[in-house]
Amino acid sequence: MQLKSKVDVLLGLQWGDEGKGKVVDVLTPHYDVIARFQGGPNAGHTLEFNGMKHVLHIIPSGIFHPDKLNIIGNGVLIEPRILSQEVAALREKQVDAKHNLYISKKAHLILPSHRLLDAANEQAKGNAKIGSTLKGIGPAYTDKIARTGLRVGDTLEFDFCEKYELLKLQHLQMAKTLGFDTAAFRIDGMTLEEYEQQWMASLDLLRSFHLINSEYFINDCLRQGRRVLAEGAQGSMLDVDFGSYPFVTSSSTVTAGVCSGLGVAPSSIGRVMGITKAYCTRVGAGPFPTELFDDTGRTLCELGHEYGATTGRSRRCGWIDLPALRYACMLNGVTDLIVTKPDVMNDFDEVLMCDSYLINGEKTDEIPFEFNAVEIQPNWKHYAGWKQSLAGIESFDKLPQRLLDYLHAIEEATQTPIMAVSTSPDRKDTLFK
Ligand code: GDP
Ligand code: IMO
Ligand code: MG
């Protein structure tokens, strides 16, 4: 089949929160369609422009551009009440999502009882908690793979309520087996039954959207030469296969996930833009070799406002991890790097990079299978800080030389060119090379 254009991809190379939302918003004018391909309301993508700040969870980050189409692909999980809250929050900002948001009929639903089960699973893990966002992601993807899930298109069928009740019953039984106190469980301060009523009420809104077979729609777009950007959620180090399992999310966060999450062929993938912070953060449990437990870590957290956009939890902070970054570039076939948040380190005397790991006395560049179990000592490279504000700098080559040196070291280490640097949360502060 002759396609006139390809799907470009923008995804996170670390443990999420790299600034995907901001950059997708910046890139949207160059595309016709923005499509989410995996994840769900565990994501929190922040956009800032004209003094306004907005956080998106399920809706793609192109939504503020009324002439661009946004698609929630089949690989995404939809929680209808969270979707309706997002739509309402956009309406308050004069954005009518109904106008330019299409939803795949094959996208799976997160039921209130998936959220209950998420909490039950986490509680049962005791000290081994993953630190899930508790949006029901794990249980909903479990049902998808187990072939017991419910999809957006199913809400149009006459027997939807029957199927819903059956599935909910299974979830309640599982929670009981885990010894979970279902009566004490609350979502947004509501009991399961109270929340369920609101969830059911939001199905009407969900059904009122353009519900489509998005795989046909997107491939038609490519045949016509319309430009499509796939927006990742989470990050490569949270990928269900390649992340620090089991401290991962439950979807394919890498480029391969675009193919199954949108229904496009591998040969139709174009540029792969990988985004990384100039340092590193992680929220939730799991290995983080370059984590800082000292004042520098706390400074990164404070100056970077490193608090989760979805849960408000403070993010763990550390230096950039090149073995992890190289791994992510390899898995995704990254063609272009985007670096965010160097401005957070403006006042630092020196900036460190982890160049390789020392594991049991041996130097390695690989993420080990035993990532969670072994003690990893980072080998550091030291770079002089640029000690300068980046505010007002309007072109890439006007960045301070020491920052350019630092960025160049990232390019060298990953063998991947940097295409842009972001220097503030605002849309306007994005410098293309
Ligand atoms: P996402 O999940 O990848 O979309 O990222 P989040 O929105 O969860 O977290 C990124 C945070 O950093 C948000 O608060 C953004 O507004 C902010 N941000 C993005 N780019 C920059 C930047 O270049 N500098 C600074 N200081 N903040 C940024
Ligand atoms: P965005 O798209 C950062 C983390 C959680 C937890 C693990 C599993 O904003 O970058 P889950 O709710 O999926 O069962 O949680 O994954 N996590 C994220 N961390 N950014 C995200 O999304 C995340 N989505 C999930 O903190 O450790
Ligand atoms: Mg986020």
Side-chain angles (χ1 to χ4, degrees):
M1 190 186 306
Q2 200 62 28
L3 302 180
K4 287 197 186 136
S5 60
K6 296 202 168 198
V7 179
D8 286 348
V9 182
L10 183 133
L11 44 70
L13 300 178
Q14 299 172 306
W15 280 278
D17 304 326
E18 298 89 349
K20 297 175 292 289
K22 173 195 161 156
V23 173
V24 168
D25 171 60
V26 169
L27 293 174
T28 296
H30 303 281
Y31 292 91
D32 301 300
V33 178
I34 311 297
R36 276 274 306 267
F37 59 93
Q38 47 69 233
N42 50 349
H45 295 182
T46 315
L47 285 68
E48 285 193 42
F49 51 88
N50 303 337
M52 184 274 298
K53 178 175 166 173
H54 196 89
V55 181
L56 294 162
H57 300 287
I58 312 176
I59 296 176
S61 299
I63 199 71
F64 283 92
H65 301 254
D67 55 330
K68 307 295 177 174
L69 198 61
N70 290 266
I71 296 180
I72 298 178
N74 57 278
V76 177
L77 296 179
I78 295 181
E79 210 278 31
R81 184 168 179 271
I82 296 181
L83 179 72
S84 75
Q85 286 174 320
E86 280 199 70
V87 171
L90 285 169
R91 208 177 295 128
E92 276 176 25
K93 287 171 179 151
Q94 276 70 52
V95 175
D96 177 15
K98 272 213 194 154
H99 155 78
N100 60 338
L101 176 66
Y102 290 10
I103 299 177
S104 168
K105 284 186 191 167
K106 294 192 176 73
H108 276 247
L109 295 174
I110 298 179
L111 274 52
S113 49
H114 280 130
R115 297 184 63 174
L116 174 120
L117 209 46
D118 215 356
N121 286 336
E122 278 286 72
Q123 183 188 283
K125 283 192 160 77
N127 287 337
K129 284 185 182 41
I130 289 166
S132 162
T133 61
L134 300 178
K135 302 294 178 196
I137 301 293
Y141 275 127
T142 300
D143 273 329
K144 173 175 175 171
I145 301 302
R147 303 164 294 185
T148 46
L150 289 171
R151 300 178 292 175
V152 168
D154 294 329
T155 66
L156 306 169
E157 302 294 327
F158 72 94
D159 59 351
F160 175 74
C161 286
E162 209 176 302
K163 285 181 174 163
Y164 172 94
E165 288 300 331
L166 266 177
L167 190 55
K168 176 183 148 191
L169 205 64
Q170 277 180 23
H171 294 158
L172 291 177
Q173 276 165 356
M174 285 156 92
K176 196 172 165 195
T177 312
L178 290 167
F180 190 71
D181 185 354
T182 303
F185 176 70
R186 296 287 179 277
I187 308 178
D188 298 347
M190 287 175 261
T191 63
L192 188 69
E193 288 69 28
E194 288 163 350
Y195 190 82
E196 187 176 48
Q197 280 185 8
Q198 301 215 1
W199 188 95
M200 284 289 177
S202 7
L203 290 181
D204 283 339
L205 175 82
L206 176 66
R207 290 190 199 98
S208 72
F209 275 87
H210 295 276
L211 305 181
I212 59 169
N213 287 321
S214 56
E215 64 278 30
Y216 279 112
F217 187 91
I218 291 175
N219 279 285
D220 273 346
C221 287
L222 299 178
R223 255 195 305 273
Q224 293 161 21
R226 296 177 79 193
R227 295 153 302 172
V228 179
L229 177 65
E231 171 182 1
Q234 290 79 54
S236 304
M237 299 306 287
L238 287 170
D239 179 83
V240 67
D241 281 280
F242 303 108
S244 41
Y245 194 89
F247 301 102
V248 295
T249 189
S250 301
S251 65
S252 260
T253 62
V254 293
T255 306
V258 177
C259 296
S260 56
L262 294 179
V264 295
S267 56
S268 65
I269 300 292
R271 286 169 79 171
V272 179
M273 296 168 271
I275 181 164
T276 173
K277 283 180 196 179
Y279 51 97
C280 201
T281 64
R282 174 165 201 169
V283 56
F288 182 1
T290 61
E291 183 169 9
L292 292 166
F293 299 95
D294 58 5
D295 280 346
T296 309
R298 283 185 282 278
T299 306
L300 283 171
C301 183
E302 270 166 42
L303 297 182
H305 304 290
E306 295 296 355
Y307 300 95
T310 296
T311 59
R313 291 177 291 177
S314 67
R315 297 175 181 146
R316 301 154 65 190
C317 295
W319 300 116
I320 199 166
D321 181 334
L322 293 178
L325 200 58
R326 278 190 282 254
Y327 186 56
C329 286
M330 172 185 85
L331 295 171
N332 290 301
V334 174
T335 57
D336 307 82
L337 279 176
I338 298 167
V339 180
T340 59
K341 306 188 89 163
D343 54 289
V344 172
M345 303 195 288
N346 282 347
D347 295 329
F348 286 23
D349 292 325
E350 88 175 335
V351 179
L352 273 65
M353 260 185 206
C354 165
D355 188 48
S356 58
Y357 298 154
L358 206 61
I359 301 176
N360 298 327
E362 286 204 20
K363 189 176 156 180
T364 178
D365 195 26
E366 273 192 23
I367 306 294
F369 174 79
E370 305 80 4
F371 203 31
N372 306 328
V374 289
E375 199 179 314
I376 297 177
Q377 221 181 314
N379 287 317
W380 300 113
K381 274 196 169 171
H382 296 247
Y383 291 81
W386 39 97
K387 307 279 283 181
Q388 184 190 322
S389 165
L390 307 181
I393 296 180
E394 285 179 354
S395 71
F396 191 97
D397 53 7
K398 296 264 165 52
L399 288 168
Q401 188 54 47
R402 288 199 189 125
L403 172 54
L404 289 172
D405 292 345
Y406 180 75
L407 296 173
H408 187 61
I410 297 175
E411 286 185 312
E412 288 278 297
T414 55
Q415 291 291 295
T416 313
I418 291 176
M419 70 173 263
V421 170
S422 161
T423 60
S424 96
D426 198 283
R427 185 193 265 177
K428 69 177 166 39
D429 293 317
T430 316
L431 314 178
F432 287 86
K433 202 170 176 181

